[in-house]
Each structure stands twice: as structure tokens, then as C-alpha cells.
Amino acid sequence: MIRTLCRVRGAAAGVATLGVTIGEREFWGRGHGSDALRLLMNHLFGAYCLSRLELDTWSGNERAVRAFTRLGFREEGRRRSAVLLDGKRYDSVLFGMLREEWANPA
């Protein structure tokens, strides 16, 4: 199962927070999450007057970091030691993309 999440902070803000979860490990690493996010990004920037999309992950989730970067998101900041998983601390990593970056990929 693939779940995508989108929370728009209000029309005036022009910002949406995204998320994607792939529940079953057998579907990890096949590009399904990237495909789902790409569709969601294109829909949000294409249909709404949003200026920014953002999402985050934990620093140990290397697949997500690579996927977000490949999609054109830029790392914008970290909240150090903000995530606790299995007794280990990780940074929370924030990624963002501006409308101009989506319309004109580098």
C-alpha cells in the first residue's frame, strides 16, 4: 500500500506539506514512492497557486533522501537529534521546492 499525504496551510500561505509511505517492504526501492510524489507535485503546482512544497524525513532514511533530491527538492535544514528510532537518535531533515524550481528544473 502506498499512501500520500498533502496538507495545505491555507490558500494565502501557498505552501503544502507532502508525505509518502510505502507500507510493505516488498515494494520498497521500485520507484513507486517517487512516482506518487511526482504525480502529486505536478497536480499541486499545476492546479493550485502554490509557491512551495515541502517534506521531511529522518537522516537514516537514505532512500527517501536520494528520492527527494532526484525529484528536485533541496535540503533546507535539519533539526538535530529530533527523531528517536529503535533507541537511536537521528536528525529530522527538511526538504523544499519552489514553484520556479519545479517549472525550470536545473
Side-chain angles (χ1 to χ4, degrees):
M1 174 190 302
I2 299 172
R3 293 184 197 153
T4 58
L5 164 75
C6 173
R7 188 185 87 199
V8 179
R9 291 189 199 159
V15 177
T17 302
L18 312 180
V20 63
T21 301
I22 302 175
E24 293 85 13
R25 286 184 183 260
E26 65 197 70
F27 296 108
W28 291 7
R30 296 185 182 184
H32 299 307
S34 294
D35 290 345
L37 277 175
R38 188 176 298 106
L39 288 169
L40 185 57
M41 291 163 50
N42 290 337
H43 173 69
L44 291 171
F45 276 137
Y48 299 98
C49 189
L50 296 177
S51 62
R52 170 185 174 77
L53 301 178
E54 60 186 34
L55 41 72
D56 70 350
T57 189
W58 53 287
S59 56
N61 190 348
E62 295 172 8
R63 276 194 189 110
V65 169
R66 282 193 309 271
F68 299 163
T69 302
R70 271 196 313 267
L71 287 168
F73 285 90
R74 295 183 186 179
E75 183 178 326
E76 296 184 330
R78 288 175 177 251
R79 291 179 22 220
R80 297 177 297 150
S81 294
V83 179
L84 179 64
L85 288 172
D86 298 325
K88 187 174 177 186
R89 290 257 170 217
Y90 297 90
D91 294 350
S92 174
V93 187
L94 174 67
F95 291 86
M97 177 184 290
L98 304 178
R99 172 179 286 282
E100 308 84 64
E101 296 164 344
W102 167 76
N104 301 301

XYZ file of all heavy atoms in Angstrom:
839
model
N 0.834 -1.172 0.000
C 0.000 0.000 0.000
C 0.887 1.246 0.000
O 1.834 1.346 0.760
C -0.894 0.021 1.235
C -1.672 1.307 1.344
S -2.554 1.550 2.903
C -3.593 0.138 2.954
N 0.573 2.188 -0.867
C 1.286 3.458 -0.932
C 0.324 4.534 -0.467
O -0.793 4.644 -0.960
C 1.765 3.765 -2.361
C 2.722 2.679 -2.836
C 2.439 5.137 -2.414
C 3.093 2.798 -4.287
N 0.766 5.325 0.488
C -0.050 6.422 0.986
C 0.672 7.729 0.699
O 1.859 7.848 0.945
C -0.257 6.317 2.489
C -1.073 5.159 2.888
C -1.314 5.182 4.380
N -1.746 3.860 4.757
C -1.579 3.344 5.942
N -0.999 4.024 6.889
N -2.004 2.134 6.196
N -0.051 8.696 0.186
C 0.490 10.036 0.044
C -0.329 10.964 0.909
O -1.516 10.746 1.137
C 0.475 10.537 -1.418
O -0.853 10.499 -1.899
C 1.388 9.713 -2.286
N 0.316 11.985 1.395
C -0.314 12.945 2.277
C -0.034 14.338 1.746
O 1.070 14.610 1.276
C 0.280 12.806 3.682
C 0.047 13.947 4.658
C -1.383 13.890 5.161
C 1.027 13.877 5.791
N -1.017 15.189 1.805
C -0.826 16.583 1.418
C -1.618 17.448 2.384
O -2.811 17.244 2.566
C -1.302 16.821 -0.007
S -1.273 18.565 -0.457
N -0.933 18.379 3.008
C -1.594 19.329 3.903
C -1.284 20.728 3.401
O -0.126 21.134 3.370
C -1.100 19.157 5.327
C -1.892 19.988 6.321
C -1.313 19.907 7.683
N -0.286 20.957 7.715
C 0.694 21.017 8.564
N 0.864 20.084 9.458
N 1.563 22.000 8.536
N -2.310 21.435 2.991
C -2.143 22.813 2.535
C -2.423 23.715 3.726
O -3.443 23.576 4.390
C -3.095 23.141 1.364
C -2.932 24.583 0.923
C -2.835 22.193 0.196
N -1.516 24.653 3.974
C -1.627 25.530 5.150
C -2.608 26.665 4.964
O -2.727 27.516 5.811
C -0.265 26.117 5.478
C 0.696 25.117 5.979
C 1.919 25.827 6.478
N 3.014 24.894 6.539
C 4.259 25.244 6.538
N 4.595 26.517 6.451
N 5.206 24.345 6.602
N -3.287 26.695 3.857
C -4.228 27.780 3.583
C -3.846 28.455 2.281
O -2.668 28.529 1.937
N -4.830 28.914 1.572
C -4.586 29.492 0.250
C -3.624 30.662 0.308
O -2.781 30.825 -0.567
C -5.913 29.924 -0.368
N -3.716 31.478 1.338
C -2.850 32.659 1.428
C -1.388 32.275 1.617
O -0.498 32.955 1.122
C -3.312 33.557 2.568
N -1.138 31.198 2.317
C 0.248 30.777 2.572
C 0.907 30.222 1.314
O 2.098 30.392 1.105
C 0.291 29.744 3.693
N 0.141 29.517 0.486
C 0.690 28.955 -0.740
C 1.697 27.849 -0.524
O 2.569 27.618 -1.359
N 1.587 27.151 0.606
C 2.550 26.107 0.972
C 1.805 24.807 1.262
O 0.782 24.812 1.938
C 3.364 26.506 2.225
C 4.312 25.402 2.640
C 4.119 27.799 1.981
N 2.340 23.703 0.755
C 1.783 22.381 1.062
C 2.895 21.489 1.602
O 4.026 21.532 1.113
C 1.168 21.753 -0.180
N 2.554 20.704 2.610
C 3.474 19.729 3.180
C 3.080 18.355 2.661
O 1.917 17.970 2.753
C 3.412 19.757 4.718
O 3.721 21.081 5.156
C 4.399 18.774 5.317
N 4.046 17.627 2.102
C 3.788 16.329 1.485
C 4.398 15.209 2.309
O 5.331 15.422 3.084
C 4.412 16.281 0.087
C 4.159 17.441 -0.850
C 4.861 17.194 -2.176
C 2.675 17.638 -1.050
N 3.908 14.018 2.062
C 4.488 12.826 2.660
C 4.115 11.615 1.844
O 3.119 11.623 1.128
N 4.919 10.592 1.930
C 4.632 9.334 1.243
C 5.084 8.184 2.133
O 6.128 8.272 2.793
C 5.296 9.260 -0.154
C 6.798 9.300 -0.056
C 4.830 8.061 -0.939
N 4.273 7.135 2.177
C 4.610 5.938 2.949
C 4.331 4.714 2.089
O 3.261 4.619 1.489
C 3.758 5.852 4.231
O 3.978 7.014 5.020
C 4.094 4.604 5.033
N 5.289 3.815 2.035
C 5.099 2.526 1.374
C 5.180 1.482 2.474
O 6.243 1.265 3.048
C 6.150 2.278 0.283
C 6.074 3.404 -0.747
C 5.946 0.905 -0.352
C 7.137 3.340 -1.802
N 4.044 0.880 2.785
C 3.947 0.011 3.943
C 4.663 -1.324 3.806
O 5.319 -1.774 4.742
N 4.555 -1.964 2.670
C 5.112 -3.303 2.515
C 6.539 -3.236 1.956
O 6.778 -2.670 0.890
C 4.241 -4.148 1.575
C 2.869 -4.451 2.142
C 1.860 -3.340 1.891
O 2.143 -2.441 1.077
O 0.800 -3.351 2.527
N 7.478 -3.844 2.648
C 8.887 -3.809 2.244
C 9.114 -4.362 0.839
O 10.029 -3.939 0.154
C 9.742 -4.610 3.222
C 9.954 -3.928 4.533
C 10.903 -4.749 5.414
N 11.056 -4.136 6.708
C 12.097 -3.399 7.043
N 13.070 -3.204 6.190
N 12.171 -2.862 8.244
N 8.286 -5.284 0.407
C 8.474 -5.881 -0.923
C 8.321 -4.848 -2.043
O 8.779 -5.073 -3.159
C 7.507 -7.041 -1.132
C 6.052 -6.594 -1.162
C 5.087 -7.742 -0.964
O 5.040 -8.270 0.170
O 4.407 -8.102 -1.940
N 7.695 -3.711 -1.744
C 7.511 -2.665 -2.745
C 8.517 -1.524 -2.617
O 8.481 -0.581 -3.386
C 6.082 -2.117 -2.687
C 5.061 -3.153 -3.031
C 4.236 -3.683 -2.060
C 4.941 -3.620 -4.337
C 3.297 -4.657 -2.365
C 4.002 -4.591 -4.663
C 3.186 -5.111 -3.678
N 9.413 -1.612 -1.639
C 10.432 -0.583 -1.452
C 11.456 -0.660 -2.585
O 11.731 -1.733 -3.124
C 11.157 -0.766 -0.132
C 10.335 -0.503 1.097
C 8.991 -0.249 1.156
C 10.795 -0.512 2.431
N 8.604 -0.079 2.452
C 9.684 -0.233 3.268
C 12.033 -0.728 3.035
C 9.790 -0.154 4.648
C 12.132 -0.647 4.410
C 11.018 -0.357 5.201
N 12.032 0.470 -2.921
C 13.128 0.508 -3.891
C 12.710 0.316 -5.342
O 13.558 0.100 -6.194
N 11.429 0.387 -5.635
C 10.945 0.186 -7.012
C 10.503 1.482 -7.691
O 10.007 1.453 -8.805
C 9.776 -0.799 -7.007
C 10.165 -2.181 -6.549
C 8.997 -3.102 -6.679
N 9.320 -4.435 -6.207
C 8.498 -5.445 -6.285
N 7.297 -5.285 -6.824
N 8.854 -6.623 -5.834
N 10.645 2.612 -6.979
C 10.283 3.892 -7.569
C 8.829 4.284 -7.397
O 8.404 5.329 -7.895
N 8.048 3.461 -6.684
C 6.624 3.767 -6.518
C 6.413 5.071 -5.737
O 5.537 5.866 -6.072
C 5.888 2.628 -5.808
C 5.939 1.331 -6.544
N 5.575 1.192 -7.863
C 6.324 0.094 -6.136
C 5.724 -0.065 -8.242
N 6.180 -0.749 -7.204
N 7.203 5.277 -4.695
C 7.083 6.496 -3.904
C 7.431 7.724 -4.722
O 6.737 8.746 -4.668
N 8.509 7.626 -5.507
C 8.907 8.745 -6.375
C 7.822 9.043 -7.397
O 7.495 10.213 -7.649
C 10.222 8.424 -7.093
O 11.277 8.332 -6.173
N 7.257 7.995 -7.983
C 6.186 8.186 -8.967
C 4.977 8.876 -8.332
O 4.404 9.797 -8.916
C 5.753 6.853 -9.573
C 6.799 6.243 -10.484
O 7.736 6.954 -10.890
O 6.674 5.038 -10.783
N 4.601 8.426 -7.142
C 3.449 9.014 -6.457
C 3.711 10.483 -6.115
O 2.845 11.342 -6.318
C 3.121 8.219 -5.195
N 4.914 10.782 -5.619
C 5.239 12.170 -5.294
C 5.291 13.039 -6.541
O 4.819 14.178 -6.522
C 6.582 12.245 -4.558
C 6.532 11.984 -3.064
C 7.944 11.978 -2.478
C 5.679 13.019 -2.356
N 5.848 12.526 -7.631
C 5.918 13.294 -8.879
C 4.514 13.668 -9.363
O 4.246 14.807 -9.739
C 6.667 12.507 -9.953
C 6.938 13.307 -11.215
C 7.770 12.535 -12.228
N 9.086 12.183 -11.726
C 9.468 10.955 -11.340
N 8.629 9.940 -11.410
N 10.687 10.739 -10.894
N 3.600 12.704 -9.328
C 2.214 12.975 -9.723
C 1.575 14.021 -8.819
O 0.902 14.944 -9.293
C 1.384 11.690 -9.686
C 1.658 10.680 -10.784
C 0.967 9.354 -10.466
C 1.206 11.219 -12.128
N 1.803 13.889 -7.522
C 1.236 14.833 -6.564
C 1.834 16.227 -6.759
O 1.110 17.229 -6.760
C 1.470 14.334 -5.138
C 0.828 15.146 -4.018
C -0.676 15.270 -4.202
C 1.158 14.508 -2.669
N 3.142 16.309 -6.959
C 3.804 17.600 -7.198
C 3.230 18.278 -8.435
O 2.896 19.465 -8.404
C 5.313 17.391 -7.407
C 6.071 16.954 -6.188
S 7.699 16.258 -6.605
C 8.394 17.500 -7.677
N 3.131 17.528 -9.529
C 2.614 18.098 -10.772
C 1.172 18.565 -10.614
O 0.795 19.617 -11.125
C 2.737 17.097 -11.914
C 4.169 16.875 -12.335
O 5.039 17.717 -12.115
N 4.436 15.731 -12.932
N 0.381 17.795 -9.894
C -1.005 18.196 -9.659
C -1.070 19.471 -8.818
O -1.794 20.420 -9.154
C -1.781 17.075 -8.967
C -3.146 17.491 -8.547
N -4.167 17.757 -9.441
C -3.660 17.734 -7.320
C -5.244 18.127 -8.784
N -4.961 18.123 -7.496
N -0.327 19.509 -7.726
C -0.408 20.657 -6.820
C 0.103 21.937 -7.465
O -0.537 22.987 -7.372
C 0.363 20.360 -5.532
C -0.275 19.301 -4.635
C 0.674 18.917 -3.515
C -1.600 19.785 -4.087
N 1.263 21.859 -8.120
C 1.785 23.056 -8.771
C 0.965 23.423 -10.009
O 0.815 24.595 -10.330
C 3.251 22.884 -9.167
C 4.240 23.176 -8.066
C 5.326 22.356 -7.858
C 4.107 24.299 -7.258
C 6.261 22.636 -6.873
C 5.031 24.582 -6.260
C 6.111 23.745 -6.067
N 0.420 22.418 -10.687
C -0.345 22.681 -11.903
C -1.752 23.200 -11.657
O -2.265 24.024 -12.402
N -2.389 22.742 -10.591
C -3.795 23.067 -10.363
C -4.019 24.166 -9.326
O -5.093 24.750 -9.282
C -4.550 21.804 -9.926
N -3.013 24.424 -8.510
C -3.184 25.391 -7.429
C -2.088 26.452 -7.499
O -1.025 26.227 -8.042
C -3.133 24.697 -6.063
C -4.230 23.679 -5.905
C -3.975 22.326 -6.131
C -5.518 24.056 -5.559
C -4.987 21.382 -6.011
C -6.533 23.119 -5.438
C -6.255 21.785 -5.667
O -7.249 20.864 -5.550
N -2.358 27.561 -6.901
C -1.404 28.670 -6.903
C -0.465 28.537 -5.696
O -0.367 29.424 -4.861
C -2.149 29.996 -6.870
S -1.070 31.403 -7.130
N 0.220 27.416 -5.617
C 1.153 27.196 -4.518
C 2.529 27.741 -4.906
O 2.938 27.644 -6.060
C 1.272 25.711 -4.193
C 0.006 25.024 -3.686
C 0.253 23.538 -3.487
C -0.473 25.670 -2.407
N 3.221 28.265 -3.941
C 4.569 28.761 -4.207
C 5.628 27.791 -3.718
O 6.789 27.890 -4.114
C 4.777 30.127 -3.548
O 4.652 30.017 -2.143
N 5.235 26.821 -2.870
C 6.233 25.967 -2.235
C 5.628 24.628 -1.828
O 4.500 24.559 -1.358
C 6.742 26.712 -1.000
C 7.587 25.945 -0.065
C 7.903 26.793 1.185
N 8.601 25.973 2.145
C 9.880 25.639 2.057
N 10.608 26.074 1.056
N 10.442 24.875 2.958
N 6.429 23.568 -1.998
C 6.117 22.248 -1.448
C 7.246 21.879 -0.505
O 8.410 22.211 -0.756
C 6.016 21.201 -2.555
C 4.972 21.426 -3.642
C 5.046 20.312 -4.679
C 3.577 21.519 -3.053
N 6.908 21.177 0.562
C 7.951 20.750 1.491
C 7.618 19.373 2.043
O 6.471 18.932 2.022
C 8.132 21.761 2.621
C 6.913 21.985 3.468
C 7.099 23.101 4.485
O 7.813 24.086 4.196
O 6.526 22.981 5.576
N 8.658 18.698 2.492
C 8.515 17.407 3.146
C 9.742 17.169 3.997
O 10.721 17.898 3.908
C 8.305 16.276 2.134
C 9.102 16.234 0.834
C 10.526 15.876 1.057
C 8.468 15.263 -0.117
N 9.652 16.150 4.840
C 10.816 15.837 5.661
C 10.935 14.338 5.849
O 10.029 13.570 5.522
C 10.772 16.566 7.002
C 9.692 16.054 7.950
O 8.845 15.250 7.517
O 9.697 16.449 9.114
N 12.092 13.939 6.334
C 12.358 12.547 6.652
C 13.416 12.523 7.748
O 13.900 13.561 8.182
C 12.819 11.751 5.406
O 12.847 10.353 5.738
C 14.194 12.186 4.928
N 13.768 11.354 8.200
C 14.836 11.236 9.184
C 16.140 10.917 8.449
O 16.135 10.319 7.377
C 14.497 10.195 10.247
C 14.109 8.844 9.732
C 12.926 8.506 9.126
C 14.884 7.658 9.754
N 12.932 7.183 8.772
C 14.121 6.633 9.156
C 16.151 7.354 10.236
C 14.592 5.335 9.016
C 16.611 6.052 10.100
C 15.827 5.071 9.502
N 17.256 11.341 9.013
C 18.549 11.270 8.325
C 18.990 9.849 7.996
O 19.774 9.656 7.075
C 19.633 11.975 9.153
O 19.715 11.424 10.460
N 18.484 8.862 8.683
C 18.834 7.471 8.389
C 18.080 6.878 7.218
O 18.395 5.783 6.755
N 17.091 7.596 6.694
C 16.285 7.099 5.580
C 16.936 7.536 4.259
O 16.482 8.450 3.585
C 14.847 7.617 5.689
C 13.914 6.959 4.704
O 14.343 6.276 3.780
N 12.630 7.173 4.898
N 18.013 6.862 3.907
C 18.815 7.251 2.746
C 18.043 7.140 1.437
O 18.253 7.939 0.522
C 20.089 6.415 2.702
C 21.000 6.689 3.883
C 22.183 5.740 3.969
O 22.394 4.950 3.013
O 22.884 5.793 4.983
N 17.138 6.169 1.324
C 16.325 6.044 0.103
C 15.476 7.290 -0.112
O 15.386 7.815 -1.211
C 15.403 4.831 0.190
C 16.026 3.553 -0.202
C 14.918 2.507 -0.397
N 15.510 1.225 -0.560
C 15.443 0.245 0.331
N 14.772 0.414 1.447
N 16.033 -0.900 0.106
N 14.841 7.755 0.957
C 13.992 8.943 0.850
C 14.825 10.172 0.510
O 14.440 10.967 -0.352
C 13.217 9.174 2.145
N 15.979 10.325 1.156
C 16.851 11.470 0.884
C 17.244 11.486 -0.594
O 17.167 12.518 -1.262
C 18.088 11.457 1.800
C 19.116 12.485 1.353
C 17.682 11.694 3.256
N 17.642 10.330 -1.132
C 18.018 10.247 -2.555
C 16.824 10.539 -3.464
O 16.940 11.265 -4.452
C 18.597 8.866 -2.882
C 20.026 8.678 -2.452
C 20.649 7.442 -3.075
N 19.867 6.227 -2.923
C 19.964 5.383 -1.892
N 20.826 5.626 -0.913
N 19.232 4.310 -1.838
N 15.666 9.967 -3.126
C 14.473 10.161 -3.963
C 14.049 11.627 -3.973
O 13.763 12.188 -5.039
C 13.322 9.284 -3.458
N 14.024 12.260 -2.814
C 13.611 13.664 -2.745
C 14.569 14.542 -3.552
O 14.144 15.444 -4.268
C 13.544 14.154 -1.304
C 12.564 13.413 -0.432
C 12.642 13.503 0.943
C 11.562 12.606 -0.968
C 11.745 12.837 1.768
C 10.668 11.927 -0.161
C 10.768 12.044 1.219
N 15.848 14.255 -3.433
C 16.860 15.027 -4.166
C 16.701 14.820 -5.667
O 16.757 15.779 -6.444
C 18.269 14.630 -3.698
O 18.364 14.859 -2.282
C 19.334 15.444 -4.397
N 16.489 13.573 -6.097
C 16.286 13.289 -7.532
C 15.060 14.007 -8.084
O 15.046 14.392 -9.254
C 16.137 11.783 -7.760
C 17.436 11.062 -8.008
C 17.204 9.677 -8.596
N 16.186 8.910 -7.908
C 16.416 8.054 -6.914
N 17.640 7.867 -6.479
N 15.431 7.396 -6.368
N 14.039 14.167 -7.264
C 12.817 14.847 -7.700
C 12.985 16.363 -7.767
O 12.110 17.060 -8.255
C 11.655 14.504 -6.764
C 11.099 13.090 -6.908
C 10.167 12.764 -5.746
C 10.366 12.931 -8.234
N 14.103 16.864 -7.274
C 14.368 18.297 -7.351
C 14.218 19.051 -6.044
O 14.392 20.269 -6.009
N 13.888 18.350 -4.965
C 13.811 19.004 -3.669
C 15.223 19.318 -3.179
O 16.171 18.584 -3.475
C 13.101 18.110 -2.643
C 11.618 18.051 -2.827
C 11.047 17.090 -3.649
C 10.793 18.948 -2.180
C 9.683 17.030 -3.832
C 9.418 18.902 -2.355
C 8.861 17.938 -3.181
N 15.335 20.387 -2.426
C 16.624 20.783 -1.857
C 16.565 20.664 -0.341
O 15.566 21.040 0.276
C 16.946 22.226 -2.217
C 17.137 22.443 -3.684
C 17.518 23.867 -3.947
N 17.564 24.113 -5.385
C 17.859 25.278 -5.903
N 18.147 26.305 -5.125
N 17.885 25.439 -7.211
N 17.652 20.167 0.230
C 17.725 20.130 1.683
C 17.815 21.561 2.190
O 18.650 22.341 1.739
C 18.931 19.335 2.155
C 18.991 19.224 3.656
C 20.141 18.396 4.187
O 20.534 17.405 3.531
O 20.650 18.760 5.273
N 16.937 21.897 3.136
C 16.883 23.268 3.639
C 17.283 23.392 5.101
O 17.563 24.484 5.573
C 15.476 23.843 3.457
C 15.080 23.956 2.007
C 13.736 24.599 1.822
O 12.871 24.456 2.715
O 13.539 25.224 0.779
N 17.277 22.291 5.797
C 17.655 22.389 7.202
C 17.488 21.064 7.923
O 16.934 20.108 7.388
N 17.999 21.064 9.145
C 17.931 19.874 9.995
C 17.550 20.268 11.407
O 17.987 21.304 11.898
C 19.291 19.173 10.049
C 19.653 18.475 8.778
C 21.072 17.900 8.857
N 21.335 17.185 7.624
C 21.424 15.867 7.533
N 21.304 15.124 8.608
N 21.643 15.290 6.377
N 16.763 19.417 12.002
C 16.520 19.506 13.443
C 17.322 18.364 14.044
O 16.978 17.191 13.882
C 15.032 19.378 13.744
C 14.268 20.587 13.260
C 12.772 20.518 13.516
N 12.403 19.609 14.579
C 11.345 18.802 14.532
N 10.558 18.794 13.496
N 11.067 18.007 15.542
N 18.403 18.713 14.689
C 19.343 17.701 15.173
C 18.744 16.835 16.273
O 18.063 17.327 17.161
C 20.626 18.369 15.663
C 21.348 19.098 14.533
C 22.569 19.837 14.984
N 22.181 20.875 15.934
C 22.970 21.296 16.917
N 24.168 20.784 17.092
N 22.558 22.238 17.724
N 18.977 15.532 16.153
C 18.539 14.539 17.143
C 17.054 14.632 17.474
O 16.647 14.387 18.602
C 19.368 14.663 18.425
O 20.705 14.330 18.187
N 16.243 14.965 16.492
C 14.809 15.154 16.717
C 13.998 13.877 16.577
O 12.831 13.843 16.955
C 14.277 16.206 15.747
N 14.605 12.821 16.027
C 13.885 11.570 15.779
C 14.540 10.449 16.572
O 15.765 10.280 16.521
C 13.896 11.228 14.272
C 13.176 9.919 14.003
C 13.277 12.360 13.463
N 13.735 9.682 17.290
C 14.226 8.531 18.044
C 13.621 7.270 17.438
O 12.395 7.100 17.427
C 13.833 8.656 19.521
C 14.249 7.509 20.438
C 15.770 7.405 20.509
C 13.651 7.696 21.824
N 14.481 6.397 16.893
C 14.042 5.130 16.315
C 14.905 4.008 16.850
O 16.141 4.064 16.747
C 14.153 5.155 14.788
C 13.154 6.015 14.038
C 13.517 6.084 12.563
C 11.756 5.455 14.191
N 14.268 3.005 17.397
C 14.976 1.847 17.940
C 16.111 2.247 18.871
O 17.214 1.689 18.819
C 15.511 0.963 16.804
C 14.405 0.389 15.938
O 13.323 0.088 16.489
O 14.612 0.253 14.724
N 15.872 3.237 19.703
C 16.847 3.659 20.692
C 17.985 4.516 20.156
O 18.916 4.840 20.889
N 17.925 4.888 18.891
C 18.977 5.700 18.287
C 18.399 7.025 17.810
O 17.289 7.067 17.295
C 19.608 4.949 17.111
C 20.809 5.633 16.534
C 21.489 4.788 15.466
C 22.658 5.577 14.871
N 23.259 4.887 13.755
N 19.169 8.089 17.970
C 18.734 9.427 17.561
C 19.184 9.748 16.142
O 20.288 9.416 15.735
C 19.317 10.488 18.499
C 18.706 10.448 19.857
C 17.716 11.577 19.979
N 16.938 11.415 21.198
C 15.670 11.706 21.272
N 15.036 12.175 20.233
N 15.016 11.551 22.389
N 18.290 10.405 15.382
C 18.564 10.842 14.016
C 18.102 12.292 13.875
O 17.234 12.758 14.606
C 17.791 9.989 13.001
C 18.183 8.546 12.992
C 17.534 7.632 13.820
C 19.196 8.088 12.161
C 17.886 6.295 13.811
C 19.555 6.745 12.147
C 18.902 5.860 12.973
O 19.249 4.541 12.967
N 18.652 12.972 12.878
C 18.186 14.313 12.551
C 16.892 14.212 11.748
O 16.691 13.263 10.987
C 19.204 15.064 11.682
C 20.510 15.348 12.398
O 20.587 15.149 13.630
O 21.455 15.776 11.714
N 16.044 15.212 11.893
C 14.912 15.396 11.001
C 15.399 16.332 9.899
O 15.934 17.401 10.189
C 13.735 16.025 11.757
O 12.689 16.327 10.878
N 15.240 15.918 8.640
C 15.780 16.676 7.515
C 14.619 17.271 6.720
O 13.744 16.551 6.257
C 16.647 15.779 6.595
C 17.341 16.616 5.535
C 17.666 14.991 7.404
N 14.629 18.594 6.559
C 13.587 19.306 5.834
C 14.030 19.555 4.400
O 15.148 20.004 4.160
C 13.282 20.652 6.507
C 12.304 21.565 5.767
C 10.902 20.955 5.756
C 12.277 22.946 6.397
N 13.131 19.254 3.454
C 13.358 19.495 2.034
C 12.275 20.430 1.518
O 11.135 20.375 1.966
C 13.289 18.185 1.237
C 14.429 17.259 1.500
C 14.384 16.367 2.562
C 15.548 17.272 0.688
C 15.435 15.515 2.807
C 16.597 16.425 0.926
C 16.549 15.541 1.992
N 12.632 21.272 0.549
C 11.663 22.183 -0.043
C 11.876 22.332 -1.535
O 12.964 22.079 -2.057
N 10.800 22.721 -2.209
C 10.862 23.031 -3.637
C 9.957 24.233 -3.895
O 8.808 24.258 -3.455
C 10.385 21.858 -4.493
C 10.386 22.190 -5.986
S 9.720 20.871 -7.007
C 11.020 19.657 -6.845
N 10.497 25.207 -4.616
C 9.732 26.382 -5.002
C 9.118 26.163 -6.380
O 9.634 25.376 -7.181
C 10.623 27.621 -5.026
C 11.358 27.931 -3.727
C 12.240 29.150 -3.904
C 10.373 28.127 -2.581
N 8.035 26.853 -6.651
C 7.351 26.729 -7.941
C 8.334 26.928 -9.099
O 8.306 26.183 -10.075
C 6.211 27.746 -8.045
C 5.573 27.803 -9.424
C 4.434 28.798 -9.496
N 3.259 28.298 -8.815
C 2.428 27.394 -9.322
N 2.638 26.867 -10.502
N 1.376 26.984 -8.637
N 9.220 27.930 -9.002
C 10.178 28.205 -10.066
C 11.110 27.015 -10.323
O 11.538 26.761 -11.434
C 11.054 29.421 -9.752
C 10.322 30.682 -9.375
C 9.939 30.729 -7.894
O 10.814 30.746 -7.023
O 8.720 30.740 -7.635
N 11.460 26.305 -9.269
C 12.350 25.147 -9.394
C 11.635 23.981 -10.071
O 12.242 23.218 -10.808
C 12.884 24.743 -8.017
C 13.740 25.814 -7.404
C 13.985 25.635 -5.914
O 13.262 24.855 -5.264
O 14.907 26.299 -5.426
N 10.341 23.851 -9.824
C 9.556 22.805 -10.465
C 9.364 23.112 -11.948
O 9.508 22.250 -12.791
C 8.192 22.688 -9.777
C 7.181 21.882 -10.523
C 7.143 20.514 -10.622
C 6.081 22.369 -11.299
N 6.075 20.136 -11.404
C 5.409 21.250 -11.823
C 5.592 23.637 -11.570
C 4.271 21.368 -12.614
C 4.468 23.767 -12.365
C 3.824 22.636 -12.878
N 9.078 24.375 -12.240
C 8.830 24.779 -13.636
C 10.096 24.789 -14.486
O 10.033 24.603 -15.691
C 8.181 26.156 -13.655
N 11.243 24.999 -13.849
C 12.517 25.086 -14.557
C 13.572 24.244 -13.867
O 14.469 24.785 -13.230
C 12.994 26.555 -14.613
C 12.010 27.442 -15.309
O 11.694 27.220 -16.463
N 11.511 28.436 -14.599
N 13.466 22.912 -13.961
C 14.450 22.075 -13.265
C 15.864 22.331 -13.785
O 16.064 22.595 -14.945
C 14.000 20.635 -13.574
C 13.019 20.747 -14.683
C 12.525 22.159 -14.746
N 16.811 22.259 -12.861
C 18.219 22.529 -13.204
C 18.810 21.461 -14.077
O 18.412 20.354 -14.137
C 19.024 22.665 -11.911
